[in-house]
Amino acid sequence: MKNSRWLDYALTIIVLTILWYGASLLLGSQLLPDPLSVLGRLLHAVREEIFWEHTAVSAWRLAAALALAFMTAVPFGLVLGSNERLDRIFAPLIYLSYPIPKIVLLPIILMLFGLGDLGKIILISLIIFFQLLITTRDAVRSLDREVVYALQSLGGNRWHFYRHVVWPVALPGIFTSLRISTGTAVAVLFFVESISTSRGLGLYLIDAWGRADYTTMFVGIIALSAIGIVLYEAFDVMERRLCAWKNR
Amino acid sequence: MASSPDLLVVTGLGKTFGPGTHQKEVLRDVHFHVGYNDSLAIVGPSGCGKTTLLLMAAGLLPPTTGEIHLEGESIQGPSRKMAVVFQAYGLFPWKRVAENILLGAQFQKLHVSQEALTAIKRELDIENLDHLYPHQLSGGQRQRVALARAMLLRPSLLLLDEPFAALDLITREHLQDHLLILFKKRKFSFVIVTHNIEEAVFLGRRIVIMDPETHGIGEIIDNPNAGTTGFRTAPDYFSKNMTLRHLIEHPHEKQPLA
Ligand SMILES: Nc1ncnc2c1ncn2[C@@H]1O[C@H](COP(=O)(O)OP(=O)(O)OP(=O)(O)O)[C@@H](O)[C@H]1O
Ligand SMILES: [Mg+2]
């Protein structure tokens, strides 16, 4: 399982590199730098402190945004999914706000929370929030009544209900939702970092682009993608660890 | 032995679902009782309210009218003196067998000794399943784990809602035997809901037949030989099967066969 996954990644990288190499031969290395020179630049960049500073700032923003979304959306979803009255109150509100592209709130959020880390983190987590909230709520909603009766007949209380029923039932969906969200989160991160910041891989990338330094730009692209992949894989590993009962 | 001869007493029990104009009466004026180390089978057509009745007796669903008393105490919610075995979702799919078995004891902070645990696993032949998840078990194993979990709570009354309905005939009879062995050894009482006539006759010392027209009890048959060794091949077993079948097929004739 694990090994074939590494193999998949290795094969994908090899195939992409070959295609990339071919494309750069066709388009000319002015427009599309060839993978070898990008690799050379990457090996150079990782020895510079500034590259790691950009990477660390971006990784921190992403992790903080995901954590914030998780800590707000999951408890809220667990409660809504198991409390019909609250759900009835909030359902229309969520229904209406879900399709709004939260990215358009960018100016408002940056005005409210400033141009620093906080505004960026809040915007990213807001975009993930709804997806996570709805997945969590619906997982709990789909609970069979008999499960609840079984818990109560065993002497379980409300805390046991959340801890031993609601939480494990919702967890696989939460991880799936987090995994899917990483792509969106990296995209939004790139967007906000390209607009206003003094640090971050988005800036690193846009800055290189502005200087027509396409080789460095590709280093930025690879670094951002790597962060996305690492997060994605981390959620996948956690899901397989914590939701072993789902692996049929 | 308690002063009252009855463990469970159900009086005037009724249930109506739904608000206002969408009301649906499912049960009306149901009376029955269960003694100590006694067994009761409830049979009736699908949708007549058997599960509803059992859930109310278990304190899991509030009745619209009537009362339930267990050892003289009014039942207002789940009681530690009762355990329930459900048809399908009794075991939690996200917990291994070992965790599932101990869950009730864990919630109720009951100490379960290693000997007690080993003993019940041996009795029910589920000794090597600890690390498996419910979906990795056969239907019969699953219900034996559910029985073990209920037994660890040392209930005075065990309530079973069609516990063996999804099993093939041989497994079903095997589990009925398991239940009877536990019943004789551990001296609890049980109420079993079933739509299977043979099962009702084999297990219930009294058999309650639900009447969907009146939403109440149609008939109660005494069946004192239930649970005795070799009952499945005894003449009384066959005659009781005939009686029960006749009463279910002709609910409003007052003279039963046999
Ligand atoms: N929570 C509920 N809300 C509304 N109606 C309900 C509810 N629970 C049960 N009912 C209705 O009550 C009736 C009896 O249901 P119940 O599950 O008790 O039947 P049953 O005798 O156990 O049937 P089966 O043999 O199919 O399990 C059914 O008509 C059902 O639709
Ligand atoms: Mg039922």
Side-chain angles (χ1 to χ4, degrees):
Chain A
M1 181 88 194
K2 204 62 214 150
N3 282 334
S4 82
R5 205 171 184 89
W6 287 114
L7 200 67
D8 284 349
Y9 268 118
L11 281 175
T12 310
I13 289 171
I14 289 169
V15 170
L16 276 179
T17 311
I18 291 170
L19 288 176
W20 180 3
Y21 196 72
S24 86
L25 283 182
L26 275 176
L27 296 170
S29 62
Q30 280 302 350
L31 206 59
L32 185 62
D34 70 279
L36 276 179
S37 52
V38 171
L39 183 67
R41 184 67 57 88
L42 180 67
L43 291 175
H44 185 72
V46 296
R47 269 176 281 147
E48 288 175 343
E49 206 170 301
I50 188 74
F51 171 81
W52 289 111
E53 243 180 271
H54 288 302
T55 306
V57 165
S58 290
W60 145 249
R61 284 171 185 157
L62 265 184
L66 285 166
L68 182 62
F70 179 85
M71 285 186 306
T72 49
V74 169
F76 196 29
L78 295 181
V79 169
L80 287 188
S82 54
N83 187 323
E84 266 178 57
R85 211 151 32 119
L86 281 179
D87 192 27
R88 261 203 301 278
I89 298 172
F90 282 98
L93 212 68
I94 294 168
Y95 183 80
L96 286 178
S97 43
Y98 185 48
I100 296 175
K102 259 61 75 181
I103 194 95
V104 301
L105 300 175
L106 173 80
I108 301 170
I109 288 179
L110 292 191
M111 266 174 354
L112 281 175
F113 299 101
L115 300 174
D117 277 0
L118 188 62
K120 297 183 179 64
I121 289 167
I122 286 179
L123 183 70
I124 298 170
S125 62
L126 187 68
I127 289 168
I128 307 166
F129 177 85
F130 283 89
Q131 157 107 42
L132 201 52
L133 173 68
I134 289 172
T135 321
T136 310
R137 181 196 64 186
D138 292 352
V140 180
R141 259 193 197 165
S142 67
L143 258 183
D144 197 281
R145 272 211 87 80
E146 204 170 287
V147 178
V148 181
Y149 287 140
L151 178 107
Q152 289 175 340
S153 77
L154 291 171
N157 57 29
R158 202 155 187 84
W159 156 250
H160 294 136
F161 174 59
Y162 281 107
R163 168 74 187 75
H164 295 280
V165 174
V166 171
W167 173 248
V169 164
L171 205 54
I174 291 172
F175 278 122
T176 306
S177 175
L178 280 172
R179 216 152 20 95
I180 294 169
S181 297
T182 49
T184 320
V186 174
V188 177
L189 175 81
F190 169 68
F191 185 65
V192 292
E193 282 188 345
S194 66
I195 288 181
S196 73
T197 193
S198 56
R199 283 279 179 278
L201 285 171
L203 172 85
Y204 181 84
L205 203 162
I206 289 289
D207 179 59
W209 189 25
R211 287 185 282 110
D213 179 358
Y214 297 131
T215 315
T216 305
M217 185 179 88
F218 269 87
V219 171
I221 292 174
I222 288 173
L224 265 179
S225 310
I227 290 183
I229 290 171
V230 166
L231 275 175
Y232 188 94
E233 282 298 314
F235 289 133
D236 196 59
V237 168
M238 281 196 260
E239 177 173 356
R240 269 184 283 128
R241 276 278 174 80
L242 296 173
C243 311
W245 62 280
K246 275 272 175 182
N247 308 333
R248 313 213 152 177
Chain B
M1 202 90 201
S3 55
S4 155
D6 286 322
L7 173 67
L8 180 77
V9 181
V10 170
T11 39
L13 202 66
K15 183 72 188 178
T16 303
F17 282 110
T21 49
H22 294 89
Q23 286 200 342
K24 176 175 173 148
E25 186 177 38
V26 175
L27 290 170
R28 184 194 303 161
D29 203 25
V30 173
H31 295 263
F32 66 84
H33 58 95
V34 181
Y36 284 87
N37 201 23
D38 192 7
S39 69
L40 183 83
I42 299 175
V43 291
S46 182
C48 72
K50 304 181 297 295
T51 297
T52 306
L53 181 56
L54 204 77
L55 289 174
M56 289 197 290
L60 295 169
L61 189 69
T64 312
T65 62
E67 282 170 45
I68 301 148
H69 286 89
L70 186 72
E71 295 190 316
E73 282 171 38
S74 173
I75 289 294
Q76 306 292 341
S79 159
R80 288 174 172 227
K81 293 175 182 161
M82 289 190 273
V84 190
V85 174
F86 296 93
Q87 178 178 342
Y89 297 95
L91 298 183
F92 295 144
W94 46 90
K95 292 195 180 285
R96 294 173 198 277
V97 167
E99 301 167 293
N100 258 300
I101 286 188
L102 285 170
L103 208 56
Q106 182 193 334
F107 290 166
Q108 301 186 17
K109 301 200 167 69
L110 276 176
H111 175 72
V112 175
S113 69
Q114 198 56 49
E115 295 82 69
L117 191 59
T118 317
I120 190 69
K121 282 184 192 164
R122 192 176 323 115
E123 272 176 77
L124 284 163
D125 197 16
I126 48 169
E127 285 161 291
N128 299 312
L129 308 176
D130 274 3
H131 299 291
L132 299 178
Y133 285 101
H135 74 264
Q136 297 168 314
L137 304 179
S138 72
Q141 287 172 330
R142 224 171 290 162
Q143 291 308 67
R144 275 180 279 151
V145 173
L147 268 177
R149 180 171 73 182
M151 284 299 108
L152 285 179
L153 300 176
R154 299 188 284 275
S156 329
L157 181 64
L158 180 64
L159 302 167
L160 308 108
D161 188 7
E162 306 200 19
F164 314 137
L167 308 176
D168 63 90
L169 182 67
I170 293 176
T171 312
R172 166 187 278 259
E173 295 196 342
H174 187 59
L175 281 235
Q176 291 167 354
D177 293 337
H178 267 303
L179 176 62
L180 282 182
I181 293 168
L182 292 170
F183 174 65
K184 281 173 192 153
K185 213 162 154 182
R186 293 170 181 248
K187 308 261 179 261
F188 55 92
S189 299
F190 69 86
V191 174
I192 182 168
V193 163
T194 174
H195 55 230
N196 183 295
I197 291 173
E198 286 85 3
E199 183 163 272
V201 173
F202 186 61
L203 294 176
R205 291 193 176 165
R206 266 170 319 126
I207 304 167
V208 167
I209 306 168
M210 304 296 294
D211 182 346
E213 307 222 326
T214 64
H215 302 300
I217 290 177
E219 206 86 36
I220 298 186
I221 308 176
D222 277 315
N223 182 31
N225 291 325
T228 49
T229 325
F231 187 48
R232 273 202 191 95
T233 49
D236 189 32
Y237 176 73
F238 292 103
S239 77
K240 282 291 174 356
N241 263 299
M242 294 280 282
T243 309
L244 186 54
R245 192 172 292 281
H246 181 82
L247 283 170
I248 287 173
E249 284 166 8
H250 310 278
H252 297 290
E253 273 174 39
K254 276 299 150 199
Q255 280 297 315
L257 276 176

